[in-house]
Amino acid sequence: MSTAAVGAPGSPRRYLHSLWLLSARDLKVRYATSALGYLWSILDPLVMSAIYWFVFTQVFQRTVGHEPYIVFLITALLPWVWFNSTVSDFTRAFNKDARLVRSTAIPRSIWVNRIVLSKGIEFLCSLPVLALFVVLSFFSEHPAQLNWGLLWIPVAIALQAVLLVGLGLLVAPLCVIWSDLERTTKLILRALFYASPVIYGVEDLPGAFETLAAFNPLSGIFALYRVGFFAEEWDPWVIGMGAVMSFLFLALGIFVFRRLERPVLKEL
């Protein structure tokens, strides 16, 4: 392929071309030896949704969320799977391809962004699961109520990508310098699942916890995913803080990444 087709070295066009190639490689490697292939993208959130739906509708008397609860769950579980799997991969972003990271002239941020992109594609491929349960809800006692808020889903996706890029630029270099952070990150993700409004809504939290939840950027992002099906999820304070916190993490990630890029290359 000619240089004109992919752009000059160091140009944004060359960067985007390399980003796409690396992301496509990740997807091909992940599914090359898998018999189920694409189904793995939807199996994890599907099983998680079924478990939580059964526990909170058949075992316990549920007092959180909205009806239909399965739609309420999936609208947050799908982006949570994107978030969780991406942050988990950040911990190995540089060590996994250490030789390429050291030897290529491509900006090192691409090793973070390629994870965000490949996992984001998997997330988009899982959205038919949400569409399926929305359609099925129309035949139930509590059908999903579609509204104008569906237009906010692309904004939610973009905002989540901003947050993930910021976290990647922060987590990836720190995990090279302090290897114990890989296990610590896994523990934090487990706690963050229950500290984020996945199985419940922000409005279900008592007292000051509802205010504090707004400082978790996932609260605002999940609200944007849900507002197209549950209009009562619209909360300007939570959504606004989610956007602010996402861009703050991006700024912090860029700052830390620039400071640690040279130490990281020495460690690899």
Side-chain angles (χ1 to χ4, degrees):
M1 187 175 294
S2 66
T3 302
V6 298
S11 66
R13 188 173 180 180
R14 172 64 68 90
Y15 184 93
L16 291 174
H17 178 74
S18 302
L19 176 62
W20 173 251
L21 289 179
L22 289 170
S23 301
R25 186 200 69 170
D26 284 351
L27 291 170
K28 288 178 182 178
V29 169
R30 189 171 297 123
Y31 296 120
T33 59
S34 171
L36 292 178
Y38 160 72
L39 291 179
W40 284 116
S41 299
I42 63 176
L43 193 58
D44 186 23
L46 194 59
V47 170
M48 289 176 67
S49 299
I51 291 172
Y52 286 113
W53 173 85
F54 178 78
V55 170
F56 287 101
T57 62
Q58 307 301 311
V59 178
F60 298 111
Q61 185 176 1
R62 179 177 55 82
T63 59
V64 298
H66 305 289
E67 293 291 351
Y69 187 61
I70 188 66
V71 175
F72 181 83
L73 270 175
I74 291 179
T75 48
L77 272 173
L78 293 179
W80 167 260
V81 170
W82 177 20
F83 179 87
N84 182 70
S85 60
T86 302
V87 175
S88 296
D89 280 8
F90 284 155
T91 62
R92 304 179 297 275
F94 293 133
N95 289 323
K96 184 179 178 181
D97 294 298
R99 183 178 298 177
L100 283 174
V101 174
R102 291 195 308 266
S103 60
T104 58
I106 306 172
R108 273 81 190 188
S109 61
I110 202 169
W111 304 101
V112 167
N113 293 332
R114 69 108 189 260
I115 297 174
V116 177
L117 179 57
S118 62
K119 294 295 184 181
I121 292 172
E122 289 184 344
F123 165 71
L124 293 176
C125 290
S126 70
L127 288 180
V129 174
L130 173 59
L132 172 63
F133 280 100
V134 169
V135 171
L136 291 176
S137 76
F138 295 150
F139 302 96
S140 69
E141 184 180 353
H142 302 284
Q145 302 295 322
L146 306 185
N147 61 76
W148 60 269
L150 289 172
L151 298 175
W152 285 104
I153 290 180
V155 178
I157 293 172
L159 203 56
Q160 185 168 349
V162 168
L163 173 63
L164 285 170
V165 170
L167 288 174
L169 296 175
L170 183 65
V171 171
L174 289 175
C175 283
V176 173
I177 297 173
W178 294 290
S179 58
D180 286 344
L181 281 179
E182 181 175 345
R183 294 182 178 179
T184 305
T185 301
K186 292 179 180 179
L187 293 175
I188 293 174
L189 285 172
R190 288 182 187 177
L192 188 59
F193 174 80
Y194 294 101
S196 301
V198 179
I199 59 179
Y200 58 85
V202 173
E203 69 277 5
D204 296 314
L205 294 170
F209 289 104
E210 182 176 351
T211 303
L212 290 173
F215 292 91
N216 176 355
L218 292 177
S219 297
I221 292 170
F222 291 168
L224 284 176
Y225 282 114
R226 283 173 166 158
V227 73
F229 309 98
F230 310 98
E232 54 270 44
E233 284 290 306
W234 180 259
D235 187 330
W237 161 251
V238 172
I239 293 170
M241 280 304 301
V244 170
M245 294 300 295
S246 295
F247 280 98
L248 283 177
F249 271 109
L250 177 61
L252 178 62
I254 292 172
F255 173 77
V256 171
F257 188 83
R258 288 176 176 174
R259 295 292 296 270
L260 295 182
E261 186 172 2
R262 288 184 180 274
V264 164
L265 291 176
K266 292 179 181 178
E267 287 287 333
L268 293 175

